[in-house]
Amino acid sequence: ETVGRKRIMKIFDDTAAAALLSKNTGTTTTNTHSTAAAAAQHKKKQTTKKTSPPPLWRIAIQKTLPKFIPSFGLLFLGGAFMGRIEGWSLLDSLYYSVITAGTLGYGDFCPTTQKGRLWAVLFIPLAVAAAGDVLGNVASLLIQRRETERNQRIMKRKLDARYLTKMDKNGDGVVSKDEFIKYMLLQMGIVETQQLQELDEQFMRLDTNNSGVLEINDLKLVVELTNDKHDDV
């Protein structure tokens, strides 16, 4: 009886130990899978963050800022050279450049030496042109930003039956890829209706057999007709 009880207790202990080991193993496996999933998700977020393109307004600024460098460089160097001739400080020289470029003409700083006056003859029109270039680039940047925001609104706009009806130019009840692209280009202001009509006319001239597609035979025939016209002339 004692031996049987010992065997039963040993079996019970072994079963309990196996169950505990299995539980710990399952918990460890679950934790491992959870950790791996979290790491994969974090890596995916990092990859998405790295590969996501920058905003369009930032791209526009990066393309526009280098255009300011020649104009500002001209104003700075021209004013510094004038200050060197007239014996002005650097701050007074920059001030002279700004009021000259802005055509303000306060008269508090003006060249008095012969060399300074000769340099002013060259520097004043260049400074005014540089200021105009800066203002033009600023205006261009604002226009590009406004167009970018408008195009983003158009792209994110939900399409309903009203828009689909406008896209369906031939009235067959179906919007083709060409009709969609033409409509979106017109809405974004990238092309005008006249330009699309000119392209359609050019395509019709090249499509000699009116098949709706351009083939090698069409191009060969166009070349032959062009050569015949040149021969007749």
Side-chain angles (χ1 to χ4, degrees), residues 6-19:
K6 289 182 179 180
R7 289 181 178 178
I8 293 173
M9 291 299 295
K10 184 178 181 181
I11 294 173
F12 178 78
D13 293 339
D14 293 341
T15 303

Short mmCIF file of all heavy atoms in Angstrom, two decimals, residues 6-19:
data_model
loop_
_atom_site.label_atom_id
_atom_site.label_comp_id
_atom_site.label_asym_id
_atom_site.label_seq_id
_atom_site.Cartn_x
_atom_site.Cartn_y
_atom_site.Cartn_z
N LYS A 6 3.25 5.83 -2.89
CA LYS A 6 4.43 6.55 -3.37
C LYS A 6 4.41 6.69 -4.88
O LYS A 6 4.76 7.74 -5.44
CB LYS A 6 5.70 5.87 -2.92
CG LYS A 6 5.97 6.00 -1.41
CD LYS A 6 7.27 5.33 -1.05
CE LYS A 6 7.59 5.47 0.45
NZ LYS A 6 8.86 4.84 0.81
N ARG A 7 4.02 5.60 -5.55
CA ARG A 7 3.94 5.67 -7.02
C ARG A 7 2.90 6.69 -7.47
O ARG A 7 3.11 7.46 -8.42
CB ARG A 7 3.61 4.28 -7.57
CG ARG A 7 4.74 3.29 -7.45
CD ARG A 7 4.34 1.96 -8.04
NE ARG A 7 5.45 1.01 -7.96
CZ ARG A 7 5.36 -0.27 -8.37
NH1 ARG A 7 4.20 -0.72 -8.90
NH2 ARG A 7 6.39 -1.08 -8.27
N ILE A 8 1.75 6.70 -6.79
CA ILE A 8 0.70 7.66 -7.16
C ILE A 8 1.18 9.09 -6.95
O ILE A 8 0.98 9.97 -7.78
CB ILE A 8 -0.58 7.38 -6.35
CG1 ILE A 8 -1.17 6.02 -6.76
CG2 ILE A 8 -1.60 8.50 -6.57
CD1 ILE A 8 -2.34 5.59 -5.90
N MET A 9 1.86 9.34 -5.80
CA MET A 9 2.37 10.68 -5.52
C MET A 9 3.43 11.10 -6.54
O MET A 9 3.49 12.25 -6.97
CB MET A 9 2.97 10.70 -4.11
CG MET A 9 1.92 10.56 -3.00
SD MET A 9 0.71 11.88 -3.00
CE MET A 9 1.77 13.26 -2.62
N LYS A 10 4.25 10.13 -6.97
CA LYS A 10 5.28 10.45 -7.97
C LYS A 10 4.65 10.79 -9.31
O LYS A 10 5.05 11.74 -9.99
CB LYS A 10 6.22 9.25 -8.11
CG LYS A 10 7.38 9.54 -9.07
CD LYS A 10 8.32 8.35 -9.13
CE LYS A 10 9.49 8.64 -10.07
NZ LYS A 10 10.41 7.51 -10.19
N ILE A 11 3.62 10.00 -9.69
CA ILE A 11 2.92 10.29 -10.96
C ILE A 11 2.27 11.66 -10.90
O ILE A 11 2.31 12.45 -11.84
CB ILE A 11 1.89 9.18 -11.25
CG1 ILE A 11 2.61 7.85 -11.51
CG2 ILE A 11 1.01 9.58 -12.43
CD1 ILE A 11 1.66 6.66 -11.65
N PHE A 12 1.67 11.98 -9.74
CA PHE A 12 1.02 13.28 -9.57
C PHE A 12 2.03 14.43 -9.67
O PHE A 12 1.79 15.45 -10.32
CB PHE A 12 0.29 13.31 -8.22
CG PHE A 12 -0.36 14.63 -7.94
CD1 PHE A 12 -1.57 14.96 -8.54
CD2 PHE A 12 0.24 15.54 -7.08
CE1 PHE A 12 -2.17 16.17 -8.26
CE2 PHE A 12 -0.35 16.76 -6.82
CZ PHE A 12 -1.58 17.07 -7.41
N ASP A 13 3.18 14.22 -9.02
CA ASP A 13 4.22 15.24 -9.08
C ASP A 13 4.75 15.43 -10.48
O ASP A 13 4.98 16.55 -10.95
CB ASP A 13 5.37 14.89 -8.13
CG ASP A 13 4.94 14.95 -6.65
OD1 ASP A 13 3.92 15.62 -6.38
OD2 ASP A 13 5.61 14.31 -5.82
N ASP A 14 4.97 14.29 -11.19
CA ASP A 14 5.45 14.39 -12.57
C ASP A 14 4.44 15.10 -13.46
O ASP A 14 4.78 15.92 -14.33
CB ASP A 14 5.75 12.99 -13.12
CG ASP A 14 6.93 12.34 -12.40
OD1 ASP A 14 7.71 13.10 -11.76
OD2 ASP A 14 7.07 11.10 -12.47
N THR A 15 3.15 14.79 -13.26
CA THR A 15 2.10 15.42 -14.08
C THR A 15 2.04 16.92 -13.80
O THR A 15 1.92 17.74 -14.72
CB THR A 15 0.74 14.77 -13.78
OG1 THR A 15 0.83 13.37 -14.02
CG2 THR A 15 -0.34 15.37 -14.69
N ALA A 16 2.12 17.27 -12.53
CA ALA A 16 2.08 18.69 -12.18
C ALA A 16 3.29 19.44 -12.73
O ALA A 16 3.18 20.57 -13.24
CB ALA A 16 2.03 18.84 -10.65
N ALA A 17 4.46 18.81 -12.66
CA ALA A 17 5.66 19.45 -13.19
C ALA A 17 5.57 19.62 -14.71
O ALA A 17 5.97 20.65 -15.26
CB ALA A 17 6.88 18.61 -12.82
N ALA A 18 5.03 18.59 -15.38
CA ALA A 18 4.89 18.68 -16.84
C ALA A 18 3.90 19.78 -17.21
O ALA A 18 4.10 20.53 -18.18
CB ALA A 18 4.43 17.32 -17.39
N ALA A 19 2.80 19.86 -16.44
CA ALA A 19 1.80 20.90 -16.72
C ALA A 19 2.40 22.29 -16.51
O ALA A 19 2.18 23.22 -17.30
CB ALA A 19 0.58 20.70 -15.83
#
